[in-house]
Amino acid sequence: MNLGNLMQLKNSWATFTQNHPKFPKFLQAASTAVKEDTLIEIKITTAEGKVIETNLKVKASDIELVKNLAM
């Protein structure tokens, strides 16, 4: 990822967190709870009502990324 992409990501994140101020707080709380073998489930419901969902079991090698997402 180049510097331009990183700056764009930073700006997009700033806008997203302004639009959804509770989400970063959720990530911070979740990151302290996530341990190896924690199950993370993600569900999206589109405006048309279509549901897309998945889950994953956290591995030890995933924990650092999860904690960094909460920063």
Side-chain angles (χ1 to χ4, degrees), residues 5-42:
N5 289 346
L6 285 174
M7 291 303 296
Q8 183 178 3
L9 180 60
K10 181 182 177 194
N11 292 337
S12 296
W13 181 250
T15 300
F16 184 85
T17 58
Q18 285 178 340
N19 292 338
H20 310 284
K22 292 181 182 178
F23 190 70
K25 293 174 186 173
F26 167 78
L27 287 178
Q28 288 174 340
S31 72
T32 62
V34 173
K35 310 278 188 274
E36 187 173 3
D37 293 329
T38 298
L39 184 65
I40 296 176
E41 298 177 319
I42 302 168

Side-chain angles (χ1 to χ4, degrees), residues 31-62:
S31 72
T32 62
V34 173
K35 310 278 188 274
E36 187 173 3
D37 293 329
T38 298
L39 184 65
I40 296 176
E41 298 177 319
I42 302 168
K43 178 180 176 181
I44 297 171
T45 304
T46 68
E48 297 80 23
K50 180 179 177 183
V51 175
I52 304 166
E53 56 189 321
T54 191
N55 64 59
L56 60 96
K57 187 181 280 190
V58 176
K59 298 179 180 183
S61 60
D62 300 327

